């Protein structure tokens, strides 16, 4: 089992701090309690293309795009970025409650043909009722997961190549069909920590995705989902969503923490505390809104979760230490690592040029991206160098 590395597309904007992109109060409408910051990078197609191209060059297999009010539409953005890349896959997040499952099956099939098979799907059931109602979804938490199970049943039925009938509580479909099924069928990534989510993952997910908790908690989740899947005669693979800081790591983490004033943290915690997501509540429990003792496991830092919903932990340390932690999770059964960092363009290079070679040296990667300088001839008697004959300077400690 090899490690699969994926990166993140910040379609809600990017920057060098944790507080410059997301709204936290008044249902995400008012921003009066958020500290203004400078240096925000708009998620225009030119900037996102830089990140996508960097991820492809550095050997990441795919990039995850978020879904929701505060980011660009994932389907439209990524199909545009597919025209700027050649091999990179796109892990498209979407909410099943706001789209017909047969239409989603058709969209996925079209996407696969346009991109020549570069689609992965991240099904987001949704844990914030305010956000769900904004999109016209008024089901409660557990019924949303029940609907997701039906949704995925219909999607797979529509991909069968034959007319598919379904009569459920949430969907009634007669002759559902995707005339040309996607080839290959996109893997379905799915996450959820509640009792309602587990059976859905076991029955329908190809990859169960968890946020970055300490290894013992992740192992417990893996055993839970694996057991449920075995009861249904299925095998599920596992992934984890983490941020990374790999260079002068703890100094960078301290700087990110220093950018957060108490009012911003309090506003974020108040809003995030209203979430119905069990996974979100588990993230909050890792730090309980406090700046103290944020290293909750060796090299696992919970500071991101003070103000960011969803994935709230980062791997922090030297390249070797971050590789050690990835190897530790991998030993538990984690195969897919969906990573990110601030800013996403620079951090992709820090990880790709520092941690990826460490993982390759340990035999954890099936392929290793070639150096962009590979084949550049020597100039004026110097070693192989950057174009133009300038000497290649190699610095340690990144």
């Amino acid at each position: 089992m090899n490690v699969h590395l994926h990166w993140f597309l910040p379609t809600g904007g990017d920057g060098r701090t944790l507080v410059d992109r997301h709204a936290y109060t008044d249902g995400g409408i008012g921003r009066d309690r958020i500290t203004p910051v400078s240096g925000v990078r708009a998620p225009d197609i030119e900037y996102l293309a830089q990140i996508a191209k960097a991820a492809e060059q550095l050997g990441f297999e795919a990039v995850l795009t978020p879904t929701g009010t505060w980011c660009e539409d994932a389907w439209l953005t990524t199909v545009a970025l597919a025209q700027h890349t050649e091999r990179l896959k796109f892990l498209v997040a979407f909410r099943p409650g706001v789209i017909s499952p047969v239409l989603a099956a058709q969209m996925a099939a079209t996407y696969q043909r346009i991109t020549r098979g570069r689609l992965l799907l991240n099904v987001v059931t949704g844990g914030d009722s305010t956000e769900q109602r904004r999109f016209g979804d008024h089901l409660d938490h557990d019924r949303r997961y029940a609907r997701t199970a039906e949704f995925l049943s219909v999607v797979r039925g529509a991909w069968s190549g034959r007319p598919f009938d379904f009569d459920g509580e949430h969907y009634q479909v007669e002759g559902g069909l995707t005339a040309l099924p996607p080839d290959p069928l996109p893997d379905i990534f799915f996450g959820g920590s509640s009792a309602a989510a587990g059976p859905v993952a076991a029955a329908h997910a190809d990859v169960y995705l968890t946020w970055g908790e300490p290894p013992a908690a992740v192992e417990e989740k893996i055993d839970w989902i694996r057991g449920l899947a075995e009861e249904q005669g299925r095998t599920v693979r596992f992934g984890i969503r983490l941020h990374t800081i790999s260079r002068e790591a703890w100094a960078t983490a301290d700087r990110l923490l220093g950018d957060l004033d108490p009012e911003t943290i309090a506003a974020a915690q108040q809003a995030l505390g209203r979430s119905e997501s069990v996974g979100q509540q588990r993230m909050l429990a890792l730090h309980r809104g406090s700046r103290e003792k944020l290293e909750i496991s060796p090299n696992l830092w919970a500071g991101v979760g003070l103000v960011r919903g969803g994935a709230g932990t980062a791997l922090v340390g030297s390249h070797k230490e971050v590789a050690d932690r990835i190897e530790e999770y991998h030993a538990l059964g984690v195969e897919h690592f969906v990573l990110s960092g601030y800013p996403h363009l620079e951090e992709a290079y820090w990880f790709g040029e520092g941690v990826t070679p460490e993982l390759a040296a340990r035999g954890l990667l099936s392929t290793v991206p070639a150096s962009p300088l590979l084949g550049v001839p020597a100039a004026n008697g110097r070693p192989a160098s950057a174009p133009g004959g300038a000497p290649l300077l190699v610095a340690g400690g990144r």
Side-chain angles (χ1 to χ4, degrees):
M1 180 181 70
N2 291 313
V3 165
H4 297 265
L5 298 175
H6 312 290
W7 198 242
F8 184 81
L9 279 176
T11 58
D14 200 10
R16 295 184 179 275
T17 74
L18 302 175
V19 296
D20 50 3
R21 291 159 302 283
H22 302 286
Y24 302 112
T25 58
D26 304 323
I29 303 302
R31 298 183 64 88
D32 56 299
R33 293 172 62 187
I34 305 302
T35 303
V37 293
S38 60
V40 178
R41 301 177 188 178
D44 56 48
I45 200 67
E46 289 79 12
Y47 179 63
L48 295 176
Q50 288 187 61
I51 298 174
K53 289 178 179 179
E56 182 171 75
Q57 178 182 355
L58 291 164
F60 291 98
E61 183 176 328
V63 285
L64 169 67
T65 55
T67 183
T69 301
W70 310 112
C71 52
E72 300 292 353
D73 177 77
W75 292 95
L76 295 175
T77 302
T78 57
V79 81
L81 291 173
Q83 312 310 305
H84 294 267
T85 53
E86 297 179 0
R87 301 175 305 280
L88 188 70
K89 296 179 182 179
F90 296 93
L91 181 49
V92 175
F94 72 101
R95 290 192 171 101
V98 297
I99 187 173
S100 155
V102 177
L103 177 59
Q106 183 183 39
M107 291 168 61
T110 300
Y111 196 113
Q112 285 294 58
R113 285 188 289 279
I114 289 174
T115 65
R116 296 177 175 83
R118 292 194 277 153
L119 174 66
L120 305 169
L121 292 174
N122 181 32
V123 177
V124 181
T125 298
D128 183 341
S129 289
T130 300
E131 176 81 341
Q132 295 300 126
R133 289 194 296 272
R134 187 176 293 134
F135 285 88
D137 180 10
H138 294 269
L139 295 185
D140 63 27
H141 176 277
D142 287 3
R143 292 182 69 203
R144 288 198 295 268
Y145 277 101
R147 180 183 57 197
T148 296
E150 291 190 9
F151 182 96
L152 293 175
S153 294
V154 174
V155 166
R156 292 196 186 276
W159 284 343
S160 68
R162 300 180 301 275
F164 177 76
D165 294 339
F166 186 86
D167 185 15
E169 178 184 356
H170 303 282
Y171 298 104
Q172 295 79 43
V173 174
E174 297 179 8
L177 177 67
T178 300
L180 292 174
D183 183 21
L185 296 180
D187 280 346
I188 293 175
F189 288 63
F190 175 88
S193 299
S194 68
V200 182
H204 298 282
D206 296 301
V207 178
Y208 174 80
L209 193 59
T210 180
W211 289 326
E213 299 181 26
V218 170
E219 183 176 25
E220 182 179 319
K221 275 189 175 180
I222 288 174
D223 290 343
W224 171 48
I225 298 298
R226 182 177 285 144
L228 291 174
E230 288 174 352
E231 291 175 3
Q232 302 193 38
R234 296 189 73 244
T235 299
V236 176
R237 288 168 283 145
F238 297 93
I240 193 167
R241 175 77 179 91
L242 289 158
H243 306 280
T244 69
I245 304 173
S246 177
R247 52 191 188 283
E248 301 84 1
W250 289 109
T252 301
D254 289 342
R255 179 187 63 76
L256 290 171
L257 193 62
D259 288 334
L260 305 179
D261 59 67
E263 292 76 18
T264 297
I265 293 176
Q269 292 297 295
Q270 180 182 352
L272 296 173
R274 293 194 294 266
S275 173
E276 296 174 330
S277 166
V278 174
Q280 181 64 71
Q281 298 308 314
R282 290 170 70 109
M283 286 285 102
L284 296 177
L286 295 176
H287 53 70
R288 302 188 184 282
S290 172
R291 296 171 182 260
E292 305 299 323
K293 299 180 180 178
L294 288 172
E295 188 178 6
I296 56 175
S297 184
N299 305 108
L300 185 64
W301 184 65
V304 179
L306 288 173
V307 292
R308 187 194 192 280
T313 53
L315 297 179
V316 179
S318 67
H319 297 327
K320 179 183 181 301
E321 288 171 332
V322 171
D324 287 343
R325 300 288 79 77
I326 289 176
E327 189 169 16
E328 182 179 9
Y329 282 118
H330 180 256
L332 300 178
V334 177
E335 181 177 349
H336 293 266
F337 291 80
V338 184
L339 307 169
S340 57
Y342 299 97
H344 290 76
L345 180 60
E346 289 93 322
E347 201 67 42
Y349 279 101
W350 285 114
F351 186 95
E353 294 174 345
V355 181
T356 297
E358 282 276 350
L359 297 172
R362 303 179 191 198
L364 295 176
L365 298 177
S366 57
T367 59
V368 182
S371 166
L373 298 179
L374 190 64
V376 176
N380 302 322
R382 297 188 181 112
S385 63
L392 175 63
L393 303 179
V394 180
R398 289 200 300 178

